[in-house]
């Protein structure tokens, strides 16, 4: 359950953790020769100086780790900083590199499926290097692909005592019994009688919404703000509604 | 291949054992070789309902512990040669049951029998879990009142998530609803949930409605499965249920007040 415990009067919430995501260009390294990297990177940055100025970067070492060719991470970070890049994390590094990264105040990204593309620096000789470079400049060098969130679909009745959790959206096409629990980090849709507890935006997403065709829920909650069945207005019970947050208030609206 | 049926409910006292005895007898009477197992270790009752309590020598726990063979423990019914009863132990508790042991017993029974009925104890603990774990079909016995309906709902959730079929991602257990102790008069007075109310909550295939009936108590007291009382409404209801389970089309009865037929009208004066 992610219902916030109510704060006492003289306590004011000074902070809150919320899930968020933003896209960071990944620097995919194919060579451990620091000099080559340095010179090629410098050349690249001069092609689009504003795009990368003070930009956060993820250092992607998967290729090098696979080739078993570790590089001097500390030196690389120095080079990146001197070129006005802000390295924030490494991924695909060896264990010693990971330790070193943390010592240097840089996070370790372990999620292999992270969708990030791509500023490639290769040391392999390219015959028509200039052509390749032009292409890179034409196309935006940072391709933003939002991570695909799970969209769970349930077609069987959700019985009393069962709990279903979705990291993205949750769609239920069968009845949800009383004392069953639906939880999703995103939206929740229920196209059958909803009698259980339903909690959307459980990681704090205040934009999450609940849609249901027959509202009889014991409890509805978005991002921890909840209403119990007794507090639901008679006019919205047993009807098609959407539920969303507006200024910290839970609104239930007939559709 | 044998079909394993669990008769379960979550709540106690709704008619699981009565149903197990009646269904087992009904299937056996139709010529299907049937075994009925009492999983209520420590609170054994099925032998009483089946009228074989004085013939119990070995029980399910003895078989699981290899203290007796299955053939030694199985009791053949005197009224129907195709029906066998495997009683529970009264001196042990449910921890005496093991998953492997129950699995082996069922596997051995499956070689010989067409239907194996597992009479589940109340609750959702070990005995009930083991009774339903290997099932192919589940008969959910529910009384038309809210707590029984909620417990059945919980049990359905467990069937869908903790059975062998669920754990091995096989085709799920087929679930059937049996609404017992039903009284259309009390439904009319608003004292009882109606078939529709229960159906709305459980969203299940209704196999049959068993009316509240004195014949059930009489049958239990005399150790005769109520299905053998062909005159009684409950006995007929169970016969219908067996027929429907075997795929016959039988219209539902006992849901509403019986409409008097032509003969009823003709003889109304009498």
């Amino acid at each position: 359950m992610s219902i916030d415990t109510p704060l006492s009067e003289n306590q004011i919430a000074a902070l809150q953790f919320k899930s968020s995501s933003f896209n960071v260009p990944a620097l995919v390294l194919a060579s451990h020769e620091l000099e080559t990297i340095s010179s090629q990177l410098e050349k690249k940055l001069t092609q689009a100086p504003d795009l990368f100025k003070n930009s956060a970067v993820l250092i992607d070492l998967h290729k090098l780790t696979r080739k078993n060719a570790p590089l001097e991470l500390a030196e690389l970070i120095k080079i990146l900083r001197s070129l006005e890049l802000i390295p924030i994390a490494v991924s695909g590094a060896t264990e010693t590199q990971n330790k070193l990264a943390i010592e240097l105040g840089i996070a370790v990204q372990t999620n292999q499926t992270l969708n990030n593309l791509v500023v490639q620096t290769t040391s392999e000789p390219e015959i028509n290097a200039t052509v390749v470079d032009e292409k890179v400049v034409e196309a935006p060098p940072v391709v933003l692909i939002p991570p695909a969130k799970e969209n769970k679909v349930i077609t069987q009745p959700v019985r009393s005592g069962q709990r279903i959790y979705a990291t993205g959206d949750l769609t239920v096409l069968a009845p949800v019994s009383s004392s069953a629990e639906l939880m999703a980090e995103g939206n929740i849709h229920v196209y059958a009688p909803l009698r259980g507890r339903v909690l959307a935006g459980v990681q704090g997403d205040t934009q999450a919404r609940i849609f249901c065709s027959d509202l009889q829920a014991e409890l509805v909650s978005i991002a921890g703000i909840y209403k119990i069945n007794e507090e639901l207005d008679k006019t919205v019970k047993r009807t098609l509604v959407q539920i969303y947050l507006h200024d910290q208030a839970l609104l239930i609206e007939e559709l | 291949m044998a079909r394993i049926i669990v008769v379960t409910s979550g709540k106690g006292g709704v008619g699981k054992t009565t149903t197990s005895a009646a269904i087992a007898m009904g299937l056996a009477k139709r010529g299907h070789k049937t075994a009925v197992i009492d999983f209520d270790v420590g609170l054994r009752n099925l032998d009483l309902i089946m009228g074989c309590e004085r013939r119990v020598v070995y029980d399910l726990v003895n078989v699981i512990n290899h203290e007796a063979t299955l053939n030694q423990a199985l009791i053949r019914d005197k009224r129907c040669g195709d029906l066998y009863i495997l009683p529970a132990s009264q001196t042990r508790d449910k921890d005496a049951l093991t998953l492997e042991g129950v699995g082996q017993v069922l596997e051995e029974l499956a070689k010989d029998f067409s239907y194996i009925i597992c009479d589940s104890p109340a609750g959702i603990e070990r005995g009930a879990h083991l009774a339903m774990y290997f099932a192919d079909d589940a008969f959910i016995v529910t009384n038309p009142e809210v707590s029984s309906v909620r417990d059945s709902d919980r049990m359905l959730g467990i069937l869908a998530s903790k059975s062998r079929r669920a754990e091995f991602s096989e085709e799920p257990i087929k679930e059937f609803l049996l609404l017992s102790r039903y009284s259309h008069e009390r439904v009319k007075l608003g004292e009882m949930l109606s078939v529709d109310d229960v159906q709305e909550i459980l969203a299940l295939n209704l196999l049959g409605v068993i009316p509240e009936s004195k014949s059930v108590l009489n049958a239990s007291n005399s150790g005769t499965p109520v299905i053998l009382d062909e005159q009684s409404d409950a006995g007929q209801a169970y016969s219908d249920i067996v027929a429907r389970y075997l795929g016959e089309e039988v219209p539902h009865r006992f849901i509403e007040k019986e409409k008097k037929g032509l003969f009823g009208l003709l003889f109304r004066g009498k």
Side-chain angles (χ1 to χ4, degrees):
Chain A
M1 293 283 302
S2 74
I3 295 170
D4 294 338
T5 40
L7 297 161
S8 65
E9 277 173 34
N10 49 10
Q11 260 181 303
I12 299 160
L15 56 85
Q16 200 180 1
F17 270 112
K18 290 195 169 181
S19 78
S20 71
S21 63
F22 68 104
N23 290 285
V24 179
L27 185 66
V28 183
L29 295 171
S31 161
H32 65 286
E33 304 276 341
L34 287 169
E35 274 176 33
T36 329
I37 294 170
S38 172
S39 66
Q40 289 194 8
L41 188 58
E42 214 169 332
K43 209 161 137 198
K44 262 206 177 137
L45 293 182
T46 51
Q47 290 167 349
D50 290 339
L51 195 59
F52 287 110
K53 191 165 183 186
N54 294 327
S55 163
V57 289
L58 173 74
I59 306 168
D60 187 334
L61 299 174
H62 283 100
K63 282 188 180 177
L64 292 184
T65 308
R66 237 176 277 141
K67 279 202 271 182
N68 207 0
L71 53 52
E72 297 272 341
L73 190 60
E75 287 302 312
L76 175 72
I77 289 167
K78 262 188 212 161
I79 293 170
L80 295 179
R81 286 186 176 145
S82 71
L83 293 169
E84 292 182 302
L85 289 170
I86 305 170
I88 57 163
V90 290
S91 79
T94 63
E95 256 177 56
T96 33
Q97 283 174 328
N98 280 344
K99 271 184 206 153
L100 182 66
I102 289 165
E103 276 167 30
L104 294 167
I106 287 188
V108 173
Q109 165 64 259
T110 49
N111 186 359
Q112 303 273 332
T113 59
L114 192 76
N115 294 296
N116 39 33
L117 289 174
V118 161
V119 184
Q120 296 220 10
T121 312
T122 58
S123 67
E124 288 147 26
E126 286 170 21
I127 298 163
N128 37 13
T130 44
V131 178
V132 172
D133 279 355
E134 270 166 27
K135 266 188 193 158
V136 171
V137 176
E138 276 165 27
V142 182
V143 183
L144 307 178
I145 302 171
K149 280 213 164 174
E150 178 195 29
N151 187 4
K152 203 180 245 183
V153 180
I154 304 289
T155 55
Q156 294 295 314
V158 185
R159 302 293 184 182
S160 183
Q162 286 186 312
R163 290 178 115 181
I164 293 183
Y165 191 98
T167 53
D169 285 4
L170 176 61
T171 308
V172 182
L173 301 170
V176 180
S177 295
S178 56
S179 14
E181 214 164 76
L182 302 181
M183 290 190 276
E185 291 173 22
N187 304 317
I188 297 179
H189 304 255
V190 183
Y191 299 103
L194 168 60
R195 303 190 181 90
R197 302 156 77 91
V198 54
L199 302 99
V202 287
Q203 296 293 333
D205 181 2
T206 53
Q207 298 304 305
R209 291 186 181 210
I210 297 167
F211 305 87
C212 67
S213 62
D214 182 357
L215 176 68
Q216 306 175 40
E218 291 170 337
L219 179 145
V220 293
S221 159
I222 291 172
I225 296 169
Y226 69 92
K227 268 189 183 171
I228 55 171
N229 186 285
E230 275 190 357
E231 295 163 358
L232 300 179
D233 201 273
K234 264 187 194 151
T235 55
V236 296
K237 280 189 191 172
R238 310 215 64 160
T239 51
L240 173 63
V241 296
Q242 69 158 328
I243 304 166
Y244 58 97
L245 276 185
H246 181 72
D247 288 342
Q248 297 282 300
L250 201 63
L251 298 186
I252 304 178
E253 189 180 279
E254 225 177 300
L255 286 174
Chain B
M1 193 56 201
R3 201 89 191 148
I4 300 173
I5 305 169
V6 60
V7 178
T8 187
S9 68
K11 197 173 185 302
V14 296
K16 285 182 294 298
T17 303
T18 301
T19 299
S20 299
I23 300 293
M25 181 60 87
L27 288 167
K29 291 268 279 181
R30 283 166 169 262
H32 302 288
K33 201 172 175 195
T34 304
V36 55
I37 309 175
D38 191 350
F39 273 83
D40 206 346
V41 179
L43 291 168
R44 133 184 143 197
N45 278 160
L46 181 69
D47 52 327
L48 288 171
I49 309 292
M50 297 296 299
C52 65
E53 72 276 13
R54 284 190 294 266
R55 297 166 62 203
V56 176
V57 183
Y58 295 110
D59 56 50
L60 175 62
V61 174
N62 292 137
V63 180
I64 286 175
N65 293 342
H66 303 291
E67 293 153 3
T69 66
L70 196 52
N71 284 331
Q72 285 175 308
L74 283 171
I75 302 170
R76 189 177 190 189
D77 191 87
K78 282 185 172 166
R79 294 151 296 209
C80 180
D82 282 322
L83 178 60
Y84 289 78
I85 299 114
L86 181 56
S89 171
Q90 183 72 348
T91 53
R92 308 290 292 271
D93 61 35
K94 272 133 193 129
D95 295 331
L97 298 175
T98 61
L99 190 68
E100 303 78 45
V102 172
Q104 278 168 15
V105 169
L106 290 173
E107 201 178 310
E108 211 178 321
L109 283 172
K111 290 177 195 157
D112 270 358
F113 288 86
S114 309
Y115 291 99
I116 302 166
I117 318 274
C118 301
D119 180 22
S120 171
I124 54 174
E125 280 75 39
R126 190 173 186 84
H129 180 241
L130 290 175
M132 69 85 187
Y133 184 78
F134 297 96
D136 303 306
D137 298 323
F139 287 8
I140 310 294
V141 185
T142 305
N143 288 169
E145 49 97 15
V146 282
S147 61
S148 174
V149 171
R150 176 181 281 186
D151 289 359
S152 294
D153 194 44
R154 179 87 170 94
M155 201 66 222
L156 286 162
I158 293 170
L159 289 171
S161 59
K162 294 196 176 145
S163 62
R164 186 188 56 86
R165 283 173 174 266
E167 282 177 9
F168 289 86
S169 307
E170 291 174 18
E171 195 189 324
I173 295 177
K174 261 196 210 146
E175 301 151 341
F176 302 94
L177 175 64
L178 279 72
L179 204 54
S180 61
R181 310 196 70 166
Y182 194 78
S183 158
H184 50 75
E185 283 101 4
R186 296 189 64 188
V187 171
K188 222 174 192 177
L189 291 170
E191 295 172 356
M192 217 179 234
L193 296 175
S194 71
V195 175
D196 291 340
D197 294 336
V198 178
Q199 283 274 73
E200 200 193 312
I201 299 170
L202 294 181
L204 267 193
N205 175 15
L206 179 72
L207 198 58
V209 171
I210 304 113
E212 171 84 73
S213 168
K214 278 184 199 156
S215 55
V216 172
L217 191 60
N218 290 338
S220 300
N221 288 338
S222 65
T224 322
V226 69
I227 198 167
L228 294 175
D229 184 356
E230 282 161 19
Q231 300 303 309
S232 72
D233 43 4
Q236 291 172 19
Y238 278 117
S239 296
D240 287 2
I241 285 167
V242 172
R244 277 188 211 109
Y245 175 68
L246 293 173
E248 293 169 30
E249 292 259 347
V250 182
H252 281 288
R253 294 196 272 171
F254 314 111
I255 295 177
E256 273 158 22
K257 200 166 179 222
E258 294 285 299
K259 288 190 185 79
K260 286 215 166 90
L262 187 58
F263 281 100
L265 289 172
L266 282 174
F267 296 109
R268 197 162 48 173
K270 290 189 179 173

